[in-house]
Amino acid sequence: NAGESTYLRQHALLCLMAHIGCLVPAAQAHVPLLRRVFTRIGSTDCLESCTSTFASEMRETTYVLRNLGPSALVLVDELGRGTSHRDGLALAWAVAEELLHAPRTFTLFATHYLALANLKNLYPQVRCQQLVVEPTAQRLRFVYRVTNGVSSRRLYCTDFLAELAGIPRAVTAAE
C-alpha cells in the first residue's frame, strides 16, 4: 500500500488540529473553516447482515452525498472497487462530479481509476497528485512521498503486479 488512506486521514486530522488551535507541522497552512467532515474510506462487508463491500460503499456514499453542505471536507478512498471496472469507474466519475459541483466543498479523492485524472481537463479546480512508487525487478518500493501528477499506468497493470507477486508468466500472458 502506497499510503493513500493514511494521507487522507492525515488531512482530516490536521484540519481538526488547526480548528482547535493546535500547531500543525507546516511552515504555513490555509485551512478553511469546516463545518463537517465526511469519509468513504476502507472496504468492508458484513456476512452477518448479507451486506457486500459494494453495498457498504453505496450506503456510505449515499450518506455523504445526501448530507453535504457548504464548508465540508470529503475524503473518498477507492470508490467503486466492489463492482466491475466499467461500472466502478462510471460511479466514481459521477460521484466526483457531484462533489465538484457542491458549494464550498473540499474533496480528496484517492482512486485506482487512472481515467479519473481526465477530470482535470474539464474542471480547473481539480489537482492530481500521486504517491511515489518505484518499481524494481522484484517488487514495488513505496517511497511515501506525494508529488504532482498521475501515477504510471504500468504500476497498476494487472500483469505487472501479478508477475511481481510470483504468478507464472504463462498465466499472465494467457488470453
Side-chain angles (χ1 to χ4, degrees), residues 21 66 110:
R66 286 190 176 163

Side-chain angles (χ1 to χ4, degrees), residues 1-2 6 13-15 20 33 35 52 55 66 105 137 143-144 166 168:
N1 185 317
T6 301
L13 183 58
L14 290 172
C15 287
I20 63 172
L33 183 59
R35 300 175 90 188
S52 68
R66 286 190 176 163
T105 296
V143 180
Y144 303 109

Side-chain angles (χ1 to χ4, degrees), residues 32-38 67-74 101-106:
L33 183 59
L34 299 172
R35 300 175 90 188
R36 300 187 87 177
V37 176
F38 295 97
N67 292 287
L68 272 179
S71 301
L73 173 63
V74 181
H101 295 301
R104 292 190 350 255
T105 296
F106 307 94

